[in-house]
Amino acid sequence: MQKTGVIFDLDGVIVDTAKYHYLAWKNLADKLGFEFTEKHNELLKGVSRVRSLEILLEIGNIKLSEEKKQEYLVTKNEEYLGFITKMKADEILPGALELLDTLDSLGIKYVLGSASKNAPLILKQVGIFERFAGIVDGNSVSKAKPDPEVFLIGAKKLNIPQENCIVFEDAIAGIEAANRANMTSIGIGNEETLHEADYNFENLTEVTSDFIKKLISEKNKKKHRV
Ligand code: BG6
Ligand code: MG
């Protein structure tokens, strides 16, 4: 029986869609008359669409009716869709395909664990949808990261005990979710920001097949977080 499984976040780990989210949210901020910077955009990473709008409105100190919020959620997503429907395989982040190849060669299954409701579309656009053993996205969860729900459903899809799962994440909320799920968390991006991760790498090109093999053999032996 396969003992170890992998769960990937999508945005910021496999593809760089943060720039498209940023452009779409920035247009809304422009329309509402306040400045929304790339630094502000960091706060939206890993966070659900609805929560992203709330954070954006907090930044602009703006209160809106529920009706208006719904309207802006729709228009923001339409604009975002305009960007992602043009995505191609060349937007897969460096090192991602090599890592999937390594996992395939080791017979390790992987699923997606993303907050995005657009995750299946993005994976299809860049041509790797079929490679995943399962998809958990923003449509499948009732609680957003840092709640561990998304990863716990992922472990079920892998049919692997949660403590035997390895999670790749670029967001603080995602690392917290993985840790709360008692999984091994691997932070991709700034080490200081993601200091709660069990392991840190600047990007996926740094995740060597030797590291993966060693981690998997260690995990197969042992230790559970308490
Ligand atoms: C996450 C992104 O993966 O998905 C967030 O990091 C985004 O920035 C969230 O808000 C929801 O995405 P979508 O595609 O459902 O609007
Ligand atoms: Mg992410």
Side-chain angles (χ1 to χ4, degrees):
M1 196 191 97
Q2 189 194 4
K3 283 188 178 168
T4 308
V6 173
I7 307 178
F8 284 99
D9 175 47
L10 177 66
D11 296 314
V13 173
I14 294 177
V15 286
D16 177 20
T17 39
K19 60 188 178 205
Y20 299 137
H21 280 296
Y22 174 62
L23 289 172
W25 286 127
K26 192 177 167 352
N27 275 348
L28 177 57
D30 287 348
K31 193 152 94 183
L32 295 172
F34 66 91
E35 200 188 1
F36 179 68
T37 65
E38 291 201 43
K39 198 159 171 224
H40 288 139
N41 195 50
E42 287 298 311
L43 301 170
L44 274 44
K45 286 188 179 172
V47 167
S48 72
R49 192 183 307 168
V50 171
R51 182 66 195 130
S52 295
L53 177 62
E54 284 169 7
I55 295 171
L56 185 98
L57 295 176
E58 279 162 24
I59 292 166
N61 204 11
I62 285 180
K63 298 231 176 323
L64 291 178
S65 66
E66 266 319 302
E67 205 184 349
K68 264 285 169 218
K69 282 188 201 168
Q70 287 309 320
E71 182 191 318
Y72 288 144
L73 285 171
V74 170
T75 50
K76 182 270 169 181
N77 196 52
E78 280 168 358
E79 198 173 332
Y80 181 63
L81 282 169
F83 294 119
I84 60 174
T85 49
K86 293 192 190 78
M87 286 177 81
K88 296 205 177 70
D90 62 0
E91 293 202 48
I92 295 174
L93 283 168
L97 291 177
E98 290 81 354
L99 179 54
L100 298 188
D101 290 346
T102 298
L103 296 173
D104 287 346
S105 71
L106 296 170
I108 302 292
K109 282 204 185 120
Y110 41 87
V111 295
L112 196 82
S114 167
S116 171
K117 294 186 170 176
N118 294 303
L121 170 65
I122 294 169
L123 287 180
K124 284 176 192 158
Q125 282 292 136
V126 301
I128 54 174
F129 181 82
E130 303 294 338
R131 295 186 71 163
F132 287 78
I135 305 289
V136 190
D137 63 15
N139 302 295
S140 356
V141 293
S142 55
K143 289 172 240 143
K145 299 171 189 175
D147 189 282
E149 184 185 19
V150 59
F151 296 140
L152 295 177
I153 301 175
K156 284 220 174 78
K157 285 202 187 260
L158 286 164
N159 201 18
I160 300 256
Q162 64 203 67
E163 61 272 17
N164 290 2
C165 292
I166 299 166
V167 174
F168 286 89
E169 252 296 345
D170 74 314
I172 302 168
I175 294 294
E176 188 183 331
N179 291 345
R180 281 169 62 182
N182 203 14
M183 298 177 177
T184 298
S185 54
I186 304 190
I188 302 299
N190 186 283
E191 186 168 352
E192 244 169 76
T193 312
L194 303 175
H195 64 271
E196 286 194 11
D198 294 321
Y199 299 90
N200 290 90
F201 296 95
E202 193 60 38
N203 58 59
L204 289 183
T205 64
E206 292 183 358
V207 183
T208 62
S209 58
D210 279 352
F211 167 79
I212 292 291
K213 283 180 200 157
K214 211 165 142 215
L215 178 61
I216 287 170
S217 82
E218 275 167 18
K219 276 192 83 66
N220 284 347
K221 280 185 224 145
K222 62 145 197 185
K223 110 172 178 179
H224 296 191
R225 194 188 303 259
V226 273

